[in-house]
Amino acid sequence: MGSRENAAGDTSTRIRDAALALFAERGVAATSLREVARSAGVAPGLVGHYFGSKDGLQEAVEDAVVGLFHDALGSVPLDGPVDEVVAGRDTAVNAMFRANPHAVDYLRRVVVTPGAGDGRLVRKLLDEQIVQTQTLRDHGIGASRAPVTEQAVRVLVRQLGTWLLQPALGRLWDLSGAEGPPPEVRVTLR
């Protein structure tokens, strides 16, 4: 790849990452393309050049978040005892979320307090989890009598639940005046 192509990739990534941070903080509707450009340190016209529109930029941000999730799950080998594979995948997702706080904040915003158009990211994540669940089943891991879609939702809620709910528990804990750190949220579905 030539230096010009690298610069274009670096610029579009910088814009996308700035948008992710702003979308996570303010929401998509409350973030202008000019603010994204200013945060990325680029001319406003470059946002349109690389992404076409705000919707195109939002879709690129969503694809990046789903890509983080995909890469984390894909980093865990599918051989070994079932419980170790499942635990390894959960650990990989948790490590990815720790390393990408803006992705967590954006997910929290679109899942817990969705705005117009925020369903697309949730749908993409769910589609990815369905593919991942089917892959596990194809490898003899995670077999269930439940339909693959139901199992995928359960896994996704388990993997996201703590990240989505822990800040709310922390706020409640602080407001209550309770001593010590708040308990850890663990999501269990029945």
Side-chain angles (χ1 to χ4, degrees), residues 97-173:
F97 282 147
R98 273 191 298 282
N100 295 282
H102 294 306
V104 174
D105 292 342
Y106 185 49
L107 279 167
R108 188 176 300 116
R109 180 173 289 282
V110 301
V111 172
V112 177
T113 57
D118 283 342
R120 187 172 59 196
L121 173 57
V122 175
R123 181 75 241 178
K124 287 178 181 184
L125 270 178
L126 186 53
D127 289 345
E128 176 64 25
Q129 188 59 53
I130 290 168
V131 168
Q132 293 287 337
T133 302
Q134 187 60 56
T135 299
L136 289 176
R137 286 182 172 195
D138 293 346
H139 282 82
I141 301 168
S144 171
R145 291 187 177 153
V148 69
T149 53
E150 182 181 317
Q151 187 178 2
V153 169
R154 290 176 175 278
V155 171
L156 192 59
V157 168
R158 187 187 75 242
Q159 290 175 333
L160 295 177
T162 299
W163 291 96
L164 299 179
L165 298 173
Q166 192 69 45
L169 173 60
R171 279 193 302 279
L172 290 170
W173 195 261

Side-chain angles (χ1 to χ4, degrees), residues 78-93:
L78 299 182
D79 53 341
V82 171
D83 56 339
E84 287 180 21
V85 172
V86 170
R89 289 166 71 88
D90 287 351
T91 297
V93 168

Side-chain angles (χ1 to χ4, degrees), residues 21 55 90 147 179:
D55 188 59
D90 287 351
E179 306 247 343

Side-chain angles (χ1 to χ4, degrees), residues 26-51:
R26 302 178 186 166
V28 175
T31 302
S32 73
L33 293 181
R34 285 193 176 282
E35 291 171 311
V36 171
R38 188 176 320 115
S39 180
V42 301
L46 284 177
V47 178
H49 171 75
Y50 286 111
F51 300 100

